[in-house]
Amino acid sequence: MTTNSLLAISILIAAALLLPVITIWKKRSPARLRDIPAFARLSRSLGLSIEDGKRIHVSLGHGNLLDARGGSAFAGLAMLRSISEHTSVSDMPSVASAGDPVLGLLTQDTVQAGYQAAGVEELYVPTTGRITGLTPFSYAAGAMHIAQNENVSTNILVGHFGPEVSLLADTSDRDNVTLIGASDNLTGQSVLFASTQDALIGEELFASSAYLNADPGHAASLTVQDIFRWLIILVLLGGAAGKFVGAF
Amino acid sequence: MRVLTAVIAIAFGFLVLLGYFFPQAAIFQIILLDWAVILAGFAALVGLLNLMIVHFDKIRRRETGSVYSALLILSLIITFLAGLLLKPQHPIMRDVILNGIIIPVEAALMGLLTVTLLYAAIRLLRKRADVMGIFFILTAAIIFLGSATLPLGDVPVIGTLIRPWVSQIWALGGARGILIGVALGTLTTGLRVLSGMDRPYGGK
């Protein structure tokens, strides 16, 4: 086994041990999360969309679950679960779109789970979870159609998006639709930064579910990320200092 | 049933994960990933069916833009049947449908993207009249100026000194920081799914 594999296993085991321990701790003392303007805007949009009788469109990108981009897709699904539960009793339930077939199926399952959790499973319509295209641009074109023609008040883009997200952002801007976006792709992030008022940067994408529901598991995963982030900072600083004094 | 799906998903997830570290488990990993690829193929068919149902519904309810829905369904059926009957390598499929329609349409969207990106840059300061917005615009302008291909070569100082300094040190450092954050987020999200804390399958 190589050194890299050993390091990866160690990180995995450490994270796997920390996650349940911190979850139990978070159950006893709920987390205090820092203010992120995009999530405050999202919470407001959820309430307003129900009052205004408008839809929320959740777009999960075209992340393939069989590769590294699956992480952002799973984060998007966790967020969709909360949103579909909140908006299930609305006259205009939220719509979700995906650009990958497997993600599309999970989208439908997740929306249905949200309805079940809200106790209104009979209101669930399978077409509220859709696959709009199988290439980045065809997916964006299909998602733009939803944003423009289905009485949408807020577009939430969470997942893997490349530069094509600019088309979706432009549609939202022209139709005066609130846009909240996060991507695990650097190009997608920079486009969203330029196109939205409160962009979500980097790991903030993975914090969405912790901000939308009070589940201690989600808050615990943020704490685990923080622990590892500090460890990485210390290792980087230690490495730089070691190099500076000629230890390596 | 929900418990069973969770147990199967978690067990298969662990087997695939172990395959990355232990050669003994790699055989299971390959088999399971092959199954996943086949299932993803079927999922694409289910997705197409879902897309057709959505657009049939739009036509039935005579919604705005239902003409486009009809066009989409017609194109979808023609392409699907042509692919089945002629096979993807047939000249009609390759030259007419792929090179004649699909690629030009995607290229047109790519061209449109250039305009929307430029427009996004112009309206950036309207949306974000803060320090970050100004830095973003300034950095983009320096990189553009420094990368511009001019008849006389690089723009002095900007092309030879400032652009490499901004892109190789500041931008690269920032990108690495963001990617480390994304990797940590992916790790904890993956662990939540793998341990069954998050279950985006099999209902609530």
Side-chain angles (χ1 to χ4, degrees):
Chain A
M1 194 179 285
T2 62
T3 317
N4 281 347
S5 298
L6 272 174
L7 188 66
I9 287 182
S10 310
I11 292 171
L12 262 174
I13 292 172
L17 290 174
L18 279 171
L19 200 57
V21 172
I22 296 173
T23 303
I24 294 166
W25 172 46
K26 293 287 177 192
K27 273 181 190 166
R28 288 178 187 164
S29 58
R32 287 176 61 200
L33 305 168
R34 71 182 165 93
D35 286 335
I36 295 180
F39 291 129
R41 182 184 284 263
L42 173 59
S43 297
R44 264 200 315 274
S45 298
L46 279 175
L48 284 174
S49 75
I50 296 170
E51 281 177 26
D52 294 349
K54 289 192 166 186
R55 280 183 205 281
I56 283 185
H57 173 218
V58 184
S59 213
L60 297 179
H62 48 89
N64 185 340
L65 293 177
L66 297 179
D67 61 30
R69 293 173 295 174
S72 60
F74 280 124
L77 285 170
M79 188 185 199
L80 174 63
R81 168 73 168 70
S82 301
I83 291 172
S84 64
E85 188 179 339
H86 280 103
T87 58
S88 55
V89 288
S90 164
D91 293 336
M92 300 291 272
S94 51
V95 184
S97 61
D100 176 77
V102 180
L103 184 58
L105 287 184
L106 288 179
T107 299
Q108 291 175 354
D109 218 17
T110 302
V111 173
Q112 190 175 16
Y115 278 71
Q116 282 174 349
V120 287
E121 197 181 351
E122 66 282 359
L123 297 180
Y124 168 69
V125 181
T127 51
T128 49
R130 301 173 195 171
I131 299 161
T132 56
L134 299 179
T135 63
F137 281 108
S138 62
Y139 160 67
M144 278 161 68
H145 185 77
I146 296 175
Q148 277 182 319
N149 298 304
E150 301 206 12
N151 202 15
V152 169
S153 68
T154 307
N155 254 332
I156 299 167
L157 316 174
V158 177
H160 180 79
F161 295 93
E164 72 285 347
V165 75
S166 178
L167 298 171
L168 282 163
D170 187 57
T171 306
S172 302
D173 192 60
R174 272 188 283 130
D175 296 341
N176 286 322
V177 168
T178 307
L179 175 70
I180 292 156
S183 171
D184 62 349
N185 178 281
L186 285 174
T187 314
Q189 274 188 34
S190 54
V191 171
L192 284 169
F193 181 85
S195 313
T196 60
Q197 208 165 6
D198 310 304
L200 291 165
I201 304 291
E203 70 278 5
E204 288 174 354
L205 183 161
F206 298 92
S208 52
S209 48
Y211 278 80
L212 280 180
N213 66 42
D215 180 24
H218 290 111
S221 73
L222 293 187
T223 309
V224 173
Q225 285 176 50
D226 283 342
I227 291 169
F228 277 98
R229 193 171 299 115
W230 278 110
L231 278 175
I232 290 168
I233 290 168
L234 289 176
V235 168
L236 286 174
L237 288 176
K243 190 84 176 167
F244 184 71
V245 298
F248 306 122
Chain B
M1 190 63 187
R2 281 171 190 150
V3 176
L4 187 68
T5 52
V7 169
I8 291 171
I10 292 167
F12 280 21
F14 268 108
L15 271 175
V16 172
L17 183 65
L18 287 176
Y20 285 105
F21 302 112
F22 303 104
Q24 297 86 344
I27 181 81
F28 296 108
Q29 186 198 40
I30 292 165
I31 292 169
L32 291 174
L33 287 179
D34 282 348
W35 289 359
V37 170
I38 294 167
L39 286 174
F42 274 105
L45 288 179
V46 176
L48 286 181
L49 192 68
N50 171 274
L51 193 68
M52 284 179 72
I53 291 169
V54 168
H55 286 277
F56 266 127
D57 205 36
K58 280 179 188 288
I59 297 167
R60 191 178 53 80
R61 284 189 279 148
R62 294 176 191 276
E63 281 185 18
T64 324
S66 55
V67 177
Y68 301 116
S69 296
L71 196 65
L72 182 133
I73 289 172
L74 195 68
S75 327
L76 204 149
I77 291 170
I78 290 170
T79 312
F80 188 71
L81 288 178
L84 276 183
L85 297 173
L86 302 172
K87 309 289 179 224
Q89 293 81 15
H90 193 276
I92 292 179
M93 285 299 291
R94 198 184 55 225
D95 298 333
V96 178
I97 294 179
L98 186 69
N99 293 334
I101 300 171
I102 296 174
I103 291 178
V105 168
E106 296 242 342
L109 281 171
M110 183 85 88
L112 196 65
L113 185 66
T114 318
V115 180
T116 58
L117 282 173
L118 183 69
Y119 182 55
I122 292 167
R123 72 184 174 212
L124 174 67
L125 287 178
R126 199 188 70 202
K127 281 185 183 293
R128 284 178 172 270
D130 56 10
V131 181
M132 295 299 281
I134 293 164
F135 264 113
F136 189 89
I137 284 281
L138 273 178
T139 311
I142 287 169
I143 297 291
F144 273 128
L145 271 175
S147 314
T149 313
L150 299 173
L152 300 171
D154 288 335
V155 179
V157 184
I158 292 177
T160 51
L161 283 174
I162 300 176
R163 186 189 64 82
W165 182 65
V166 169
S167 65
Q168 297 298 316
I169 296 172
W170 292 98
L172 198 64
R176 281 182 182 161
I178 288 173
L179 289 177
I180 287 172
V182 169
L184 289 176
T186 305
L187 171 75
T188 51
T189 306
L191 279 173
R192 278 210 318 264
V193 174
L194 204 57
S195 60
M197 285 165 83
D198 271 6
R199 274 183 270 167
Y201 47 80
K204 68 179 171 185

